[in-house]
Amino acid sequence: MSGQLDKIGRSAGYWLVLLMVGLAFEGVALFYQHVLEEMPCVLCIHVRIWVLALILVSLAALWVRRYRLANLLSHVLVLLIALGLLERSYQLLGTERGFTFSDCGFDLGMPSWFAIDVWFPQMFKVQTSCGYTPELLFGITMAEALMVSSVLLLILSAVMVIAALKNIKSTR
């Protein structure tokens, strides 16, 4: 079973699916911002940065997936991204529901050498304070959907890390 999962985890299709999911998430966020005029808060922008990291790792993994250690590193990076995305999604949902309170000002909190909000303001500029997220479909809010998606990505990436580790151990 782990051999089959490792084979999937080394396939171009797997990394293309993660890439497409990341692009779809960013596309939905930009649609809500620029078409529906739902302005992003600092937590929303943090989520966008984590999703951008997923896109970049997926792109890189397409080129290195045949090398077992590089592929394992790619899976570990996706696992770390999933953890970061889960934490930000939890904070976003908690702020929306009132069970967590985070600092939701207009400062992105990035170091000066990573001024992504200055470089790409249409995508990464904080434009409102935190409070609620828009409804997507069937009464599900963006924060709820992000929470579920983050958990699923975390489970998937953990399974893929384990499969890749088992396969590396069995080939030695």
Side-chain angles (χ1 to χ4, degrees):
M1 180 69 167
S2 67
Q4 186 63 27
L5 286 171
D6 180 60
K7 185 176 177 182
I8 291 168
R10 285 185 286 118
S11 70
Y14 174 80
W15 293 107
L16 283 171
V17 166
L18 285 182
L19 175 66
M20 293 298 128
V21 166
L23 290 171
F25 275 37
E26 297 290 23
V28 167
L30 292 172
F31 174 79
Y32 270 80
Q33 177 182 345
H34 294 289
V35 176
L36 301 180
E37 298 181 354
E38 295 283 353
M39 296 302 126
C41 69
V42 68
L43 293 172
C44 299
I45 298 300
H46 288 166
V47 167
R48 289 182 188 186
I49 292 170
W50 281 114
V51 173
L52 176 63
L54 176 65
I55 291 168
L56 295 175
V57 168
S58 298
L59 278 171
L62 281 169
W63 280 277
V64 300
R65 70 184 190 280
R66 290 186 177 93
Y67 304 101
R68 293 194 190 282
L69 286 176
N71 191 58
L72 173 62
L73 176 62
S74 300
H75 286 300
V76 169
L77 288 173
V78 171
L79 180 64
L80 293 173
I81 290 165
L83 285 169
L85 192 57
L86 180 64
E87 188 276 332
R88 291 287 84 187
S89 299
Y90 177 80
Q91 290 297 326
L92 189 60
L93 183 63
T95 301
E96 180 176 272
R97 297 281 176 87
F99 59 82
T100 64
F101 299 98
S102 49
D103 182 23
C104 281
F106 285 80
D107 180 30
L108 192 54
M110 295 293 154
S112 60
W113 57 266
F114 189 67
I116 196 165
D117 54 333
V118 175
W119 303 331
F120 306 105
Q122 297 83 4
M123 186 162 179
F124 296 110
K125 184 177 180 189
V126 178
Q127 296 182 11
T128 191
S129 59
C130 302
Y132 78 97
T133 59
E135 185 178 307
L136 297 173
L137 294 172
F138 311 114
I140 298 169
T141 67
M142 197 174 280
E144 293 166 340
L146 280 169
M147 193 69 199
V148 170
S149 300
S150 299
V151 168
L152 292 175
L153 181 62
L154 181 66
I155 292 167
L156 174 67
S157 59
V159 166
M160 288 305 189
V161 166
I162 292 167
L165 278 171
K166 282 185 178 180
N167 196 11
I168 285 175
K169 286 180 182 179
S170 70
T171 57
R172 289 186 175 190

